[in-house]
Amino acid sequence: MSSPVVAVHGIWNRRRAAPEAAAAALASKWSLSLAAGYRAAGLTTAPPSVAGTYYAHLLNDGAQGAVPDLDRLTPDEQRWAWSWIEALGAPDEAAQGPVTYPLRQGLDWVARRHRRSAEIVGRLMSAFLREVYVYMTRPGVRERCRDIVMEAIVGSGARIVVAHSLGSVVTYEALCANPGHDVDLLVTVGSPLALPGVVFEGLVPEPRDGRGARPAGVARWVNIADPGDLVAVPARLGDRFPVDRHDEAHLGAVDFHTLDGYLSCGLTAAAIAPYA
């Protein structure tokens, strides 16, 4: 029997359903996407089953669901926003922050530079910053999110984990906190693990000498990022983490930061197939 895949969601996944029902609905949707990825990779074997996780209900103060206006970001969140803009290669005057360059102008620069609409960039930034802020600054929420991911991995018997966006941060910390649990393959997609000033410095365990640790139980770690993914910054985790392989995906203008887009990509399917 093939090993199931546990998929861990990122931002923009709040559901009105109960957590168990939400996880099941996401798993059903992701199964279709992974099947598309197998076809894109030219694989003739059946894809493995997908077990879903769901922790978005814990980020329940506006971090997921309805996206708040940029004007409602807290001062700390605004500082994180400037770190994100700088990591995207902002010009010097933008990198100086709100004193000389208002946040919306910084977002307009990102939108023009990366050929996205300012509205999409603003919504993405608001959702990402609010969700990451809740996760990174509330120890109880952080611990429970990690527990949910580990419960899904252990309960399903999965040896393969695909973790997206903020979910890659949750999964990384969960696996680091459980070094006795072995995983054959970790695939991080659209991951902000190395994002300076927002995620990287606040990870648990704390990075040392500019390098993040490798979860002890992970046999192989593959990272996949679209170069146009505004959350996967920097895209190549290998400069900060001991990943085994990095692949560059090209998901298009619509799906540049969705788990469905990454699962539908032949690169993700090709990474998973030998371990399924």
Side-chain angles (χ1 to χ4, degrees):
M1 181 179 294
S2 65
S3 172
V5 173
V6 164
V8 185
H9 71 74
I11 64 173
W12 281 341
N13 277 286
R14 184 70 182 272
R15 298 291 188 272
R16 294 183 181 275
E20 295 80 6
L26 288 170
S28 178
K29 182 166 69 84
W30 294 333
S31 294
L32 296 175
S33 297
L34 182 57
Y38 262 59
R39 292 192 296 271
L43 298 169
T44 58
T45 55
S49 61
V50 177
T53 55
Y54 184 74
Y55 59 85
H57 61 294
L58 300 175
L59 308 178
N60 59 3
D61 67 343
Q64 299 232 24
V67 179
D69 187 87
L70 289 173
D71 295 333
R72 293 177 56 192
L73 294 176
T74 67
D76 282 342
E77 290 166 349
Q78 290 185 38
R79 283 193 290 272
W80 285 17
W82 283 112
S83 294
W84 180 77
I85 291 171
E86 186 174 1
L88 286 167
D92 291 342
E93 62 270 22
Q96 293 176 28
V99 174
T100 59
Y101 212 79
L103 181 57
R104 290 190 182 278
Q105 286 183 251
L107 290 178
D108 286 342
W109 176 88
V110 171
R112 293 193 305 272
R113 169 75 179 273
H114 295 274
R115 298 181 181 179
R116 312 288 182 193
S117 77
E119 179 182 0
I120 289 176
V121 173
R123 287 175 58 84
L124 179 68
M125 172 176 276
S126 295
F128 176 69
L129 290 173
R130 296 300 299 272
E131 294 172 34
V132 170
Y133 187 78
V134 171
Y135 177 78
M136 299 290 284
T137 63
R138 299 189 183 181
V141 170
R142 194 171 189 166
E143 181 177 2
R144 184 59 188 136
C145 290
R146 296 192 312 225
D147 287 347
I148 286 172
V149 169
M150 284 308 302
E151 288 164 7
I153 295 171
V154 174
S156 67
R159 308 282 295 186
I160 304 167
V161 182
V162 178
H164 173 241
S165 186
L166 174 58
S168 70
V169 180
V170 181
T171 301
Y172 171 82
E173 292 193 337
L175 291 173
C176 284
N178 292 272
H181 187 85
D182 294 334
V183 171
D184 292 336
L185 176 67
L186 169 64
V187 183
T188 49
V189 294
S191 175
L193 273 166
L195 182 59
V198 180
V199 174
F200 182 71
E201 293 83 358
L203 288 172
V204 178
E206 182 180 355
R208 294 186 177 181
D209 299 322
R211 299 281 295 176
R214 182 188 181 103
V218 173
R220 181 169 175 79
W221 182 355
V222 175
N223 183 62
I224 301 173
D226 186 319
D229 189 334
L230 302 182
V231 171
V233 183
R236 295 189 63 86
L237 291 187
D239 295 337
R240 292 286 191 175
F241 296 89
V243 302
D244 297 299
R245 181 181 176 89
H246 172 80
D247 282 318
E248 186 175 283
H250 295 276
L251 306 181
V254 176
D255 284 339
F256 70 91
H257 188 69
T258 69
L259 180 50
D260 287 295
Y262 280 107
L263 288 173
S264 299
C265 173
L267 289 172
T268 305
I272 289 172
Y275 296 86

